[in-house]
Amino acid sequence: MDLKQLQQRGEFEWLLPATGRMRVPGVIFASRELVAAMDEKVREQIANVAGLPGIVSAAYAMPDAHWGYGFPIGGVAAFDADDGGVVSAGGVGFDISCGVRTLHTGLKLADVERDKRRLADALFARIPAGVGSTGTIHLGAAEMNAMLKGGARWAVAAGYGSDADLAHIEEHGCVAGADPAAVSDQAKKRQRDEMGTLGSGNHYLEVQVVSEIFDAAAAAAYGLAAGDVVVSIHCGSRGLGHQIGTDYLREMVVAAPAAGISLPDRELACAPLKSSLGKRYLGAMRAGINCALANRQILTHLARGAFAAVFPGVKLPLLYDVSHNTCKEESHRVDGNKRRLFVHRKGATRAFGPGHVELPPEYAKVGQPVLIGGSMGTASWILAGSAGTEERAFGSACHGAGRAMSRHEAMRRWQGRALVDELAARGILIRSPSLRGVAEEAPLAYKDVGAVVDSSDRAGLAGKVARLTPLVCIKG
DNA sequence: ATGTGC
């Protein structure tokens, strides 16, 4: 990106002044190097988002921002319904409520190293992974609706976990206002057999060791110490979320002109929050969020079963669960006034700072855990929402590394089998139904997550707490 | 991301 188009406001903050159709400025939080490496398309997309009706304060980009469908991935934008604000299917993304959760194991590195191969095989045998993977749960129509309304709370009531899990999930595992009737039969049909499955692409279940602590107080509050083994699960709402995105994107493109919305890019298709289409999308999108929360809850149950088979008596309590493709109704202070806003976070994580009323009491002093998935074979990170983050980008931070090259290019450069062998030689066991998928997810096909995390820390979005290094990866 | 792809 051409830095001359931007005004530097701090070492890690860049302003794109409002010109032309922009109603508000754009703001990018990243180091000079990361901004310079971003595609010009990111600037164009930030400017486009800044021109949407009812946008509040600014269109934001996180340090891992890259070109996405309509909105950039790593984009944050809030809208006021009373000011003509909109909701956008492309602003949430296709994998609704894709996210990460991390579980404690109570085990240390040496405990797991002894039985690593058996653990990898036990997890791979129990965690359905890959394109079109199906599980052992088959939902009828009534159960489907109950799941879409209840999210992880439904999963816990069905026997997949405990109330303690719910206390460590955003919105206690169930977002209000989900409307199963707004979800198409096609979307439900695609999900019928996909509960408790990982999916493909960059989704994974990983066994990791805490390799370094950066913030002792936050680590203590989160129950983390160097050498601890944890499990992280990265996945979303599978076929259901994708179908909801497809259905509503189409509808929003068609309805936009009649709603008085002229779009510089049809991928920005959106609907007024107060319109019936906007309300139906919100209801369906929230059902998609609940589906993802239920899915990660069931996968947690499966992981617990695999661990118990190898390490009898081991419990896997939930540290936290975050979503990074959502639109959430939240209260935020803007120019001194509290306002109800609809915050789109697409490839961006909620990152509430210390003292926020929605945090579990045990984390309130240090801020929300922000879980950052690395690429296969590289580090993942646990951050803590920084003080004042609500005044910066509505309480948001980065979500991951972001691709550095296309899947196609990665496939040309690497072979899945060679990558699996190479990682095994470094002590990282990969289990995947697809060697092609492994090649597409080659570590070097992604940007350096460390640089993204450093920028997030230094920009005051979310601070470094712990680095996690992979031991076993079940790859979709 | 995705019953990957028009």
Side-chain angles (χ1 to χ4, degrees), chain A residues 402-434:
Chain A
R403 290 198 79 89
M405 71 178 69
S406 69
R407 295 184 175 281
H408 191 80
E409 176 66 15
M411 268 225 298
R412 281 199 344 196
R413 289 210 200 178
W414 290 285
Q415 284 202 305
R417 170 49 57 192
L419 278 173
V420 169
D421 292 345
E422 205 175 291
L423 288 165
R426 285 169 40 204
I428 303 167
L429 303 183
I430 308 292
R431 295 287 185 274
S432 174
S434 163

Side-chain angles (χ1 to χ4, degrees), chain A residues 104 168 213 215-225 228 318-320 354 359-369 382-384 465:
Chain A
H104 298 286
H168 284 183
I213 297 284
D215 177 339
Y222 296 166
L224 295 169
D228 284 357
L318 179 59
L319 194 165
Y320 206 60
L359 295 185
E362 58 274 34
Y363 302 156
K365 269 193 185 161
V366 298
Q368 184 202 305
I382 296 178
L383 315 181
V465 176

Side-chain angles (χ1 to χ4, degrees), chain A residues 378-458:
Chain A
T378 64
S380 293
W381 290 82
I382 296 178
L383 315 181
S386 303
T389 173
E390 287 96 275
E391 279 82 55
R392 245 159 252 130
F394 300 111
S396 311
C398 59
H399 86 304
R403 290 198 79 89
M405 71 178 69
S406 69
R407 295 184 175 281
H408 191 80
E409 176 66 15
M411 268 225 298
R412 281 199 344 196
R413 289 210 200 178
W414 290 285
Q415 284 202 305
R417 170 49 57 192
L419 278 173
V420 169
D421 292 345
E422 205 175 291
L423 288 165
R426 285 169 40 204
I428 303 167
L429 303 183
I430 308 292
R431 295 287 185 274
S432 174
S434 163
L435 285 173
R436 173 184 167 169
V438 170
E440 289 179 352
E441 295 296 317
L444 291 175
Y446 281 82
K447 284 182 240 169
D448 175 16
V449 71
V452 166
V453 162
D454 280 338
S455 276
S456 177
D457 185 310
R458 303 281 304 279

